[in-house]
Amino acid sequence: MTRNYSDRAYETLRERIINGGLRPSAPLDIHRIASEFEMSITPVRDAIKRLEADGLVEVIPRSGTFVRHFTLQDLIRGYELVEALDGMAGYLLAERVAAGDVDGQELERLLTPLVDGMEENLERDQARIWAELDGQFHQIIFDMSENTLIASSYYSVRDQMKSVLSFISPIYVDRANSVREHRLIIAAIAAGDSEKARNLCQDHRNLVRQILKKLLLQM
């Protein structure tokens, strides 16, 4: 039963952090949260420990527990990692298609509706939906690459990247161009062209990294 409560507290707090309901540096009062969620403090404490392990929460000695504030430099470093991981995941999945382990047409039918959905949600006030579909798209590629080490490394920073997209997508990302890039990625992977898939996946992530670097220079 405690585990069920802990899971519920974890998922709720995680969702609030990723979607901006809990802002960076916001304090997390275990007793207040437990009262809101109508549970004891034990599952809430367990949930916060998991969020700390995810890198979304930080405990500052003699000060308290807070939603982690990511600097632009932190986010740039995260995207340096994601860029490399994404390129390799695309490469490996295209290799699997070329080897006949994955049906390219089936993969195309799986990924294309997500990109179609992104194209239907290009407006600024639809950026959160767009970002969620983008996340699903890339998660499928990582899951189907069949390299658990690469996938787990990506998942370790995925939520941080989600928080980045929720911040920069509405203002800075050319979402229509990103949709075109997603379609090119699908075509390369479905054709089994591993090198092209790698380059496209890396270039796709590099655009966001360059946006972050420009923002850092403007500070």
Side-chain angles (χ1 to χ4, degrees), residues 14-211:
R14 174 178 168 274
E15 187 68 20
R16 289 182 183 180
I17 292 171
I18 292 171
N19 291 329
L22 285 169
R23 304 299 296 171
S25 301
L28 296 174
D29 186 313
I30 291 177
H31 291 86
R32 185 191 62 76
I33 294 170
S35 177
E36 178 190 348
F37 292 173
E38 298 182 340
M39 61 181 67
S40 69
I41 64 171
T42 299
V44 175
R45 185 179 288 115
D46 290 344
I48 288 176
K49 285 180 180 178
R50 291 169 64 185
L51 292 166
E52 184 183 9
D54 290 343
L56 295 175
V57 163
E58 58 184 343
V59 178
I60 301 177
R62 296 184 296 280
S63 295
T65 302
F66 304 87
V67 176
R68 183 176 171 186
H69 173 73
F70 291 99
T71 66
L72 277 174
Q73 190 62 60
D74 290 333
L75 299 176
I76 289 167
R77 288 170 180 155
Y79 258 90
E80 288 171 350
L81 174 60
V82 169
E83 186 177 321
L85 294 172
D86 220 331
M88 197 65 210
Y91 179 94
L92 291 173
L93 182 51
E95 264 197 338
R96 296 191 66 213
V97 171
D101 297 328
V102 173
D103 186 301
Q105 291 183 338
E106 286 295 327
L107 180 65
E108 195 168 2
R109 283 192 286 269
L110 180 65
L111 293 173
T112 297
L114 296 174
V115 182
D116 290 342
M118 293 170 69
E119 192 162 35
E120 293 166 2
N121 290 277
L122 293 176
E123 298 302 319
R124 183 169 174 173
D125 62 355
Q126 299 169 319
R128 183 168 294 176
I129 299 172
W130 184 92
E132 182 60 34
L133 292 166
D134 173 81
Q136 292 176 33
F137 177 94
H138 291 285
Q139 181 171 342
I140 288 172
I141 292 176
F142 276 99
D143 287 344
M144 295 188 68
S145 72
E146 286 209 333
N147 185 311
T148 55
L149 183 58
I150 288 176
S152 63
S153 297
Y154 169 69
Y155 298 148
S156 72
V157 295
R158 176 183 55 185
D159 289 343
Q160 298 168 21
M161 298 305 100
K162 283 183 178 179
S163 67
V164 177
L165 281 176
S166 68
F167 166 65
I168 68 171
S169 288
I171 305 172
Y172 300 104
V173 172
D174 184 341
R175 290 183 292 282
N177 182 65
S178 182
V179 165
R180 289 189 289 270
E181 291 176 349
H182 281 79
R183 295 195 189 283
L184 292 173
I185 289 170
I186 292 173
I189 295 176
D193 190 335
S194 53
E195 285 295 344
K196 187 174 183 179
R198 188 210 311 258
N199 291 332
L200 287 168
C201 288
Q202 287 184 327
D203 289 347
H204 175 67
R205 295 294 194 176
N206 181 56
L207 284 177
V208 178
R209 186 164 62 86
Q210 295 306 320
I211 291 170

